[in-house]
Amino acid sequence: MPRLRPILLALLAPLAAAAQGVAPKLAAPAEAAAPSPEVQALVRREVEKAKAELRDEVRAEIQGQQSAKEFLESGTEASEKPKLDFLQLRGYFRVRGDLFDDLALKRSQDPAGYTLFPPPLGSPDKSTQTSANTRLRLEPVMNVSEQVRVLAQLDLLDGIVLGSSSAGSAAYESIGQTVPEPGKNGLDRGSIRVKRAWGEVQTPVGLLSFGRMPDQFGLGISSNAGGGLDDDLGDNVDRFQLAVPIRQTFLGPLVVVPYYDINSSGIISQNLGGVGQPFSLDKADERTTVGFKLARIDTDDELKRKLDAGQVVWNAAARYGYHSQSWAFSNLTGTPGVASYNPPKVDQVRIGLAYHSVDLWGRLQGKRWRVEAEAGMRIGSQQDARLQASDPPLGPVQILQFGGVLRGDLQPAAKLTLGLESGFASGDRAPGFGDQPDRGVPVAGSIDGLQAYGTLTGGQYTYSDTSIKNFRFNPAYRVDLILWRELIGGLTDAWYVKPNFRYDFLEGLSLRFAIVYSQAVYGSSTPSTDHRPLGIEADTGLHYASDDGFHVWLDWGVLQPLDGLGYGPNRVPGDPALVRAHAIRTGLAIKF
């Protein structure tokens, strides 16, 4: 009705005026009451004017709806969208509890002095550890307009162990909790951690994004944003990117995303005690990435519509990156706190790092089945791998790493889903798994600097082994509950097979079960030094999610260690036999 009002007024106003002008003639019934040509022309002009105004109004509304649809990247119809609010707040609050029993497997220390898992303090007979922690995650979206917005991620009391910031230790006083601060009570973090902040602008060309943002690709074996309720980790990247949609190609609609990352700024002015705006002192020690992504991905709503129509749907993405860094500077000295610094003295190593990364992801899906895969490769070199110029030269180090994961699931019944997953990460014959390359102690008196075989993890290159071949899965990618999540820290130098199933008792309530068999690529990388089988793990869990955002879960894992985690020929009298490890994880969360 509001849109018809201008037309009605345009029609009635001239007719009313014409009626007043011919009122005396109406008294004579024999005369016709037809309006004059001038009145008819006036009516036509007013009607055309009202139509033009209506067309402009409808066009403006349609354009605004299309902009909102593209900006919000939603599959819903524009007419169903809520009114744009300046501030939208998403996130969750969770409390988790853990019970770990014998996660160190009662295995003695490796040659570097480390155990598989930090053991309980006090009596060596203790084997059970319990703990609980919290997190309040806020993910605000500030909609400046339908084309411009700012996003962020803030974690409050992130991973703070309950009871870890006690106010005192008096034996006869009630002890409460203080605000967590780094360095107090052994804490490494404060109460507020700002992890991401970035902007998005919908331009005529595409979506421009800039700032510190999440980094996710495919299933997440290489880049994983860690957005799950039970996740601890997640990748952030300082990036500038432009997502350009291409509507018509022989593959269908595609999105091309060129991007530029600043992975490491090197030494900055704050290291010299500078104030005000910090800045990078030298471009030579910065590590950067230049790359692009190409993707054909349906939204959740589009995927549902196609599957409900009985279609087989495919989606895929590819990513390429060139990573480089020329120099490494360390041992910075200078005069801090002054306006004009003395020339800083640095230890300079021309590392000449340059490597290429390629990641591929694909998914083929029907209404009751799905097959999904991701693969990644890193190839390149580093001219000099020394940490300081005073170290003996290592020469060039070659980088060749590859890995992937394949998984599928079948839904033979409405409530039952059967799945099978397998993953592989290339290995290196050097001692240790290589998930923590900075850890490990070289063999005493060794000219080669080789760390001892039997170490759990460490660097993968030495003076005689100038290659790094172990591909590392992102630690945020979950394979199991114990072996890769807790003991090693992420799949590398190994492969696994994981049959699993899920049964949905009721809406929101599901039972999950999986068996994971893991084996190393090279026995020399394992703690045993000569056996490859690592373990068989059974993981089960009961999960519930309500319609109003309440989540609760209970997971239980049991790891049976195999010979690869044992001692091999390095076993000495007195080394205890390995035992099974158990982990129970619980959680309560409210998602909003």
Side-chain angles (χ1 to χ4, degrees):
M1 286 302 295
R3 295 171 182 165
L4 296 177
R5 190 176 295 113
I7 298 177
L8 296 176
L9 292 176
L11 290 173
L12 294 178
L15 292 176
Q20 292 178 356
V22 299
K25 297 182 180 181
L26 291 178
E31 296 183 8
S36 65
E38 293 81 6
V39 173
Q40 293 178 359
L42 178 61
V43 170
R44 284 195 297 270
R45 287 195 299 271
E46 294 296 334
V47 171
E48 292 300 327
K49 182 179 178 181
K51 288 181 179 179
E53 293 175 351
L54 180 60
R55 284 195 298 269
D56 292 340
E57 179 183 350
V58 172
R59 186 181 297 110
E61 183 173 350
I62 292 176
Q63 291 174 347
Q65 290 174 349
Q66 290 175 342
S67 299
K69 182 176 181 179
E70 294 174 359
F71 175 70
L72 296 174
E73 298 178 343
S74 172
T76 59
E77 296 298 328
S79 59
E80 299 175 355
K81 288 185 179 297
K83 182 179 179 181
L84 183 66
D85 296 325
F86 172 73
L87 179 62
Q88 295 175 325
L89 192 59
R90 297 190 289 260
Y92 60 81
F93 174 70
R94 76 180 184 199
V95 175
R96 298 183 302 180
D98 301 316
L99 185 149
F100 299 143
D101 186 67
D102 279 325
L103 257 63
L105 307 180
K106 284 191 165 54
R107 192 186 190 282
S108 58
Q109 297 176 352
D110 71 355
Y114 291 93
T115 57
L116 278 168
F117 191 80
L121 302 177
S123 172
D125 296 332
K126 293 182 179 180
S127 61
T128 303
Q129 299 158 290
T130 60
S131 183
N133 59 82
T134 66
R135 171 190 278 176
L136 172 59
R137 169 160 290 179
L138 303 178
E139 295 180 322
V141 179
M142 289 150 279
N143 296 296
V144 180
S145 70
E146 291 180 333
Q147 288 77 35
V148 180
R149 63 179 179 176
V150 178
L151 304 92
Q153 184 184 90
L154 302 86
D155 286 344
L156 286 69
L157 300 179
D158 180 27
I160 298 299
V161 175
L162 299 187
S164 63
S165 55
S166 57
S169 58
Y172 303 104
E173 295 181 3
S174 175
I175 300 176
Q177 308 302 315
T178 62
V179 177
E181 296 181 33
K184 289 188 176 181
N185 296 314
L187 296 179
D188 64 346
R189 64 196 66 184
S191 57
I192 300 177
R193 307 174 75 187
V194 181
K195 296 185 175 180
R196 301 167 183 166
W198 76 101
E200 294 183 350
V201 180
Q202 184 66 52
T203 72
V205 178
L207 184 65
L208 174 66
S209 304
F210 52 94
R212 182 161 295 184
M213 63 188 70
D215 189 18
Q216 173 77 33
F217 181 84
L219 291 170
I221 67 171
S222 295
S223 299
N224 197 312
L229 281 177
D230 193 30
D231 285 344
D232 297 295
L233 307 172
D235 292 341
N236 306 314
V237 60
D238 292 334
R239 171 173 293 173
F240 299 85
Q241 73 175 26
L242 180 65
V244 182
I246 303 176
R247 303 295 182 185
Q248 300 295 332
T249 72
F250 70 96
L251 295 175
L254 298 176
V255 178
V256 180
V257 188
Y259 64 90
Y260 176 76
D261 295 345
I262 303 176
N263 306 113
S264 174
S265 63
I267 298 176
I268 61 176
S269 59
Q270 283 182 325
N271 299 120
L272 291 174
V275 296
Q277 175 181 316
F279 58 92
S280 176
L281 287 174
D282 200 313
K283 189 75 175 176
D285 64 341
E286 290 185 355
R287 181 174 300 185
T288 60
T289 301
V290 179
F292 68 89
K293 293 179 283 187
L294 185 66
R296 185 190 187 279
I297 302 176
D298 292 317
T299 65
D300 291 340
D301 288 339
E302 290 170 339
L303 184 62
K304 184 178 183 303
R305 285 196 295 266
K306 292 179 180 180
L307 294 178
D308 290 342
Q311 300 181 30
V312 175
V313 184
W314 71 274
N315 290 269
R319 181 178 66 175
Y320 165 78
Y322 176 72
H323 315 257
S324 61
Q325 181 180 345
S326 299
W327 290 81
F329 300 150
S330 61
N331 295 337
L332 180 67
T333 60
T335 304
V338 297
S340 298
Y341 306 122
N342 292 338
K345 298 178 181 179
V346 296
D347 189 284
Q348 305 181 34
V349 178
R350 186 175 180 81
I351 63 173
L353 174 66
Y355 70 93
H356 308 267
S357 64
V358 178
D359 297 287
L360 303 173
W361 167 82
R363 181 180 64 201
L364 190 65
Q365 186 170 357
K367 191 168 185 178
R368 291 188 175 273
W369 59 272
R370 178 178 59 182
V371 178
E372 193 168 4
E374 182 180 349
M377 183 178 69
R378 311 287 180 263
I379 181 171
S381 64
Q382 184 170 331
Q383 295 179 11
D384 195 336
R386 289 179 298 173
L387 299 178
Q388 296 182 3
S390 58
D391 294 337
L394 278 171
V397 174
Q398 302 300 317
I399 301 171
L400 178 59
Q401 307 163 346
F402 55 93
V405 64
L406 173 66
R407 66 187 189 187
D409 54 63
L410 175 67
Q411 193 174 19
K415 295 183 178 182
L416 178 63
T417 302
L418 303 177
L420 180 64
E421 177 179 335
S422 181
F424 170 83
S426 62
D428 195 300
R429 295 182 184 274
F433 283 105
D435 264 317
Q436 302 179 54
D438 295 333
R439 201 176 86 177
V441 178
V443 176
S446 172
I447 299 177
D448 187 47
L450 180 68
Q451 65 186 35
Y453 282 94
T455 53
L456 302 176
T457 185
Q460 298 296 287
Y461 63 89
T462 63
Y463 300 113
S464 61
D465 179 10
T466 57
S467 63
I468 303 176
K469 298 179 180 178
N470 66 307
F471 184 89
R472 292 189 288 174
F473 272 40
N474 193 296
Y477 185 84
R478 295 284 170 76
V479 174
D480 52 27
L481 291 175
I482 300 177
L483 177 62
W484 298 109
R485 178 173 176 174
E486 295 293 346
L487 305 191
I488 300 178
L491 185 77
T492 186
D493 199 345
W495 58 271
Y496 70 93
V497 178
K498 179 182 178 181
N500 57 87
F501 82 86
R502 168 176 171 166
Y503 186 79
D504 298 311
F505 293 98
L506 302 169
E507 184 176 357
L509 179 62
S510 63
L511 173 67
R512 309 174 188 189
F513 180 77
I515 296 178
V516 187
Y517 171 79
S518 301
Q519 180 168 309
V521 175
Y522 297 111
S524 58
S525 299
T526 69
S528 71
T529 74
D530 60 356
H531 295 288
R532 293 186 296 166
L534 297 174
I536 298 177
E537 182 171 329
D539 298 329
T540 186
L542 193 63
H543 293 227
Y544 173 73
S546 69
D547 293 336
D548 52 0
F550 175 64
H551 295 252
V552 58
W553 63 90
L554 172 63
D555 293 323
W556 176 29
V558 181
L559 171 65
Q560 174 61 54
L562 299 179
D563 291 341
L565 295 176
Y567 301 99
N570 296 323
R571 185 169 186 173
V572 298
D575 283 335
L578 302 188
V579 299
R580 293 190 186 96
H582 297 256
I584 297 177
R585 298 177 176 275
T586 62
L588 298 170
I590 300 174
K591 192 174 182 180
F592 53 89

